[in-house]
Structure formats: C-alpha cells, structure tokens
Amino acid sequence: MAPLRVLLFGGNAALSRLMTSAMQERSWDVISVVRDARQRERILQLGDGKKGKVDVMVYDLGRLHSVVDAQDIIERARPNTIVFAAGSMSNPFGVDRDAAKFIMKASVADSDIVKFLFISFSSSRRKRAPWWSESAYHDWLAEKSSYPDIYQAKLEADEYLVAQANARARRGGPHFQASSLRPTWLTNSKGVGWMQLGKGDCVGQVTRDDVARVAVSLLSRHDTNGWFDLFQGDIEIEDAVEAVVRGKVNCIEGEDIEGMYQLVD
C-alpha cells in the first residue's frame, strides 16, 4: 500500500500526538491541524528521527463555519486520509459536531480522499445495544445524562459520516472507508497491546497509547468500515482488528441505519 498522507484534526491532543508518531513509523506523512501557533514546535518535534514527514497547519475549528472552509483546508493539505480527533468540552456542538460534519461533507466530495476515521465515544448511540446486559444499559443511561452535549454532538457526527459515505457509494464514487473508533474512557497509562474491539460493555478504560495503535491499524487496511467500540481486553491489537473485520462486526447494529441515510443535506 502506498504511504498515506493524513490530515489530522485536533493534532495537539495527547491521543493525536501518539497517532502522529505511530503513523510516521509507517512512513506516512501527517499534516497536523492545531488551534494555537504556539503548539507548532511541539508537533514538529514528533517527526525527529521518524520515517514519515510531519507538518503543521494552524486553524481554530471553532471558526470553521462551512463546507467551503473545510474544502480550503483540504485543498491546502492535499491528503488522501482524514482523521478527526478534535474535541471541545466548552463547544462540543461547534467542534465535535458542526466542524466535523463540514469536514466529512467536504471529504466525501473529494475523490482523492479514500479514508475517514472519526474518534467518537462508545456511549454515543441512540438505542440500547442488542448485546448489552442490564448493567451496561444502566451505565449508558448514566453516561448520557452526565455528558449530554458531548454525547449528542459525537452521535450526530457519527451518524452524518454514515450518511455521507452511503451517499458517495450511491453516486458511484471511489471506494471510501468511513470508520468511527469509539473508545471508552482514556487513561495515560503505558499501552499494554491488548484490548476488546467491537461489541462490549458501555463503560471501561483503555490507554491512549493502545487507542492510537488501533487507529493506525484500522487505517492501514482497505477493508475497515463501521463503528468499532474499544475497551482494554485480552486480545492482541492486530488479532482484534482482524477478528472484527473477518467477523464483519459493526457496533452500529441496533441503530436506525436507514434513518441515518436520510441525513444527507
């Protein structure tokens, strides 16, 4: 596979910096979008001694207000892969939802972009997952009520990516991998390399290091699409990714997929 050229939104987040380093180890080039110019040097240093290249673009996603704005960023970066890992506790609807949706729509309209990975959250769904226990279901209800804005913003972006990917496929556009990686609560512990990917409980923990490695593994393949919930577990990373692909596991199960398809604007 030719090296990827990744446009990474939310580039200064701890998870994004780990993803940047992992991508460069695979000789991928990364254009990291950060909000503050003072973060530039910190990101550029991630490329020291690595195989891939890293560049930095300064843009405040809170000021991204249209598809045209998103297209301008994409045209300047010229990526073939998009990763949206940005988030805002203070403005989730402006960043996690609206900015993400503008970028998603601009991405599916660009035939050069073949992969889109959205970093979401395992509790972001409208209905009880068919595989959940009563305990997991009540955990989900508690998560929704504790973080309602973040929950809603991430969910709407997840659904919109499904809608946009389906619209591109119906138009007969080039192959497009649309994936939402949905980790549970993140920790800064050292990665262990073992996890549960796919259908699991609602709440748990997983290290940022392991999430970064799973994200890069998903992007390295041509056959990953769908929603992937992620928790610490007992399966090695590459085996876990292979298992969900081979088993056609998609955590969108139980949601109104046809309804999502109608969200295209």
Side-chain angles (χ1 to χ4, degrees), residues 43-231:
I43 302 300
L44 291 175
Q45 289 174 354
L46 296 173
D48 292 348
K50 301 294 198 312
K51 300 174 184 177
K53 299 176 182 178
V54 62
D55 200 357
V56 175
M57 185 181 298
V58 178
Y59 196 102
D60 183 353
L61 292 179
R63 298 183 179 182
L64 195 156
H65 298 307
S66 70
V67 175
V68 173
D69 291 341
Q71 288 172 329
D72 179 63
I73 297 173
I74 291 171
E75 287 172 3
R76 284 190 283 153
R78 305 185 68 83
N80 55 29
T81 300
I82 304 282
V83 176
F84 192 96
S88 173
M89 294 292 289
S90 61
N91 186 21
F93 291 114
V95 175
D96 302 61
R97 182 191 65 187
D98 295 346
K101 289 171 67 173
F102 291 137
I103 293 164
M104 289 168 182
K105 186 169 184 176
S107 297
V108 299
D110 189 326
S111 61
D112 290 333
I113 296 176
V114 296
K115 301 171 189 278
F116 196 113
L117 178 67
F118 181 67
I119 303 298
S120 186
F121 188 59
S122 57
S123 294
S124 289
R125 55 185 303 125
R126 294 191 185 275
K127 299 179 180 180
R128 175 177 177 168
W131 59 89
W132 278 347
S133 65
E134 280 297 314
S135 175
Y137 173 59
H138 287 291
D139 285 342
W140 174 64
L141 294 176
E143 290 284 280
K144 287 174 59 180
S145 61
S146 297
Y147 304 93
D149 290 351
I150 295 173
Y151 156 82
Q152 188 68 30
K154 291 288 190 187
L155 175 58
E156 290 185 33
D158 274 329
E159 294 176 332
Y160 194 73
L161 180 58
V162 172
Q164 287 294 332
N166 178 67
R168 174 154 153 169
R170 289 172 64 94
R171 292 195 298 266
H175 178 65
F176 185 76
Q177 292 177 234
S179 301
S180 288
L181 181 58
R182 302 154 50 85
T184 184
W185 291 105
L186 306 179
T187 75
N188 289 322
S189 301
K190 182 178 175 58
V192 298
W194 301 82
M195 74 253 337
Q196 178 181 346
L197 182 65
K199 298 174 182 177
D201 289 333
C202 174
V203 178
Q205 291 186 335
V206 64
T207 72
R208 285 178 171 84
D209 188 27
D210 286 328
V211 176
R213 293 173 61 190
V214 172
V216 171
S217 179
L218 290 171
L219 288 170
S220 72
R221 303 178 60 120
H222 294 294
D223 53 3
T224 51
N225 289 279
W227 292 9
F228 304 103
D229 293 354
L230 177 60
F231 305 80

